[in-house]
Amino acid sequence: IQSYPGHNVLFGIDATKLSNYFCEVENVSFDRIQFNFPHWRGKANNRYNRQLLNQFLKSAAEVLSTKGEIHVALCGGQGGCSATTLQDWKGSWTASMFAAEHGLITVREFPFDAQYNLSSHRGVDRPFHLGKDPKMYIFAKPDGVLSVPRDIQLCCRHELHVMVPNDDGVSSSCSLDQILSGDAIESIIQNIVPDGIRVEIPARKILSIPTEHGEDECIAVF
């Protein structure tokens, strides 16, 4: 790599503290940062590998350019996007969740075939097992334009209870039907969440709750 013009090779870089090497000294930002198959030293459980991935994404986000991308190759099952059960998700390295905590979104994933010689994390000069479907995960800063496939979007579910006002209490900016259908609630939430987060209200239910005054209150549950 050093033989190519315009390339600079550095050694001894801590991937969890990239800003210490670039921002403070050279004020450099990168259009692409790549970490193939991160792994804690020695034979470690998921706790330490998650910690490494979390700290790397935080560090990389600090030196990433506005339109830059972070590429992370992970072994089969480690990414978490393909999880179909809670057990699968808990067994993964929850990459999308860590990315979201540092202002990043997972924009795409695709199968990754390592076209180089792999070296074991145990210091033995032999390849390690990548699982059935190693993948490359691409992370970027949301800009309101990036489109993320639904099957890799990180989903967080919340339950919201809204007291339905009577006709006199409804604002002129929205109708009672808009509140009950969820349209008004969805619009309010979408306007306050960060760019890149999509709000959906997939289910709703109207409950009638008796009060101590003998009158029922109408509660919309979203």
Side-chain angles (χ1 to χ4, degrees):
I1 296 176
Q2 288 178 308
S3 63
Y4 287 90
H7 287 67
N8 187 21
V9 179
L10 303 177
F11 297 92
I13 301 296
D14 186 342
T16 66
K17 299 177 181 178
L18 293 176
S19 61
N20 290 353
Y21 303 92
F22 301 105
C23 287
E24 295 182 359
V25 178
E26 302 178 23
N27 195 28
V28 173
S29 64
F30 296 94
D31 296 325
R32 177 167 172 175
I33 302 172
Q34 184 159 334
F35 195 169
N36 288 350
F37 307 110
H39 199 285
W40 190 264
R41 60 181 179 272
K43 187 175 182 180
N45 59 28
N46 283 352
R47 173 186 174 188
Y48 297 106
N49 289 317
R50 288 192 190 108
Q51 179 181 340
L52 171 62
L53 182 58
N54 182 24
Q55 293 178 346
F56 164 70
L57 289 172
K58 178 180 183 298
S59 171
E62 294 173 349
V63 295
L64 188 68
S65 65
T66 303
K67 299 293 184 180
E69 294 182 341
I70 300 172
H71 294 218
V72 180
L74 295 173
C75 298
Q78 291 177 349
C81 287
S82 59
T84 57
T85 66
L86 182 59
Q87 183 177 1
D88 289 344
W89 170 252
K90 289 183 176 180
S92 75
W93 293 5
T94 62
S96 297
M97 183 179 70
F98 291 138
E101 291 177 355
H102 305 305
L104 302 167
I105 57 175
T106 309
V107 294
R108 62 186 184 277
E109 64 168 6
F110 52 85
F112 179 67
D113 181 18
Q115 299 292 323
Y116 59 91
N117 294 328
L118 300 171
S119 180
S120 172
H121 61 271
R122 296 182 177 90
V124 181
D125 190 17
R126 61 185 181 187
F128 52 89
H129 184 55
L130 297 180
K132 293 182 180 180
D133 56 346
K135 293 182 178 181
M136 180 68 74
Y137 294 85
I138 312 300
F139 307 96
K141 297 178 180 179
D143 58 5
V145 178
L146 287 171
S147 178
V148 180
R150 291 177 64 91
D151 59 340
I152 64 171
Q153 292 178 6
L154 183 64
C155 177
C156 299
R157 298 182 179 180
H158 303 274
E159 184 172 300
L160 179 64
H161 292 195
V162 178
M163 182 178 295
V164 179
N166 55 34
D167 293 339
D168 295 334
V170 177
S171 169
S172 59
S173 62
C174 62
S175 67
L176 182 60
D177 289 340
Q178 288 177 315
I179 294 177
L180 297 179
S181 68
D183 294 343
I185 303 300
E186 181 176 327
S187 176
I188 292 172
I189 299 175
Q190 187 67 74
N191 287 333
I192 62 176
V193 298
D195 291 340
I197 297 179
R198 176 174 50 85
V199 176
E200 282 189 355
I201 300 183
R204 60 192 59 80
K205 188 173 183 180
I206 307 301
L207 301 179
S208 183
I209 309 296
T211 67
E212 59 183 12
H213 303 296
E215 296 180 356
D216 290 348
E217 288 183 345
C218 188
I219 302 294
V221 182
F222 302 99

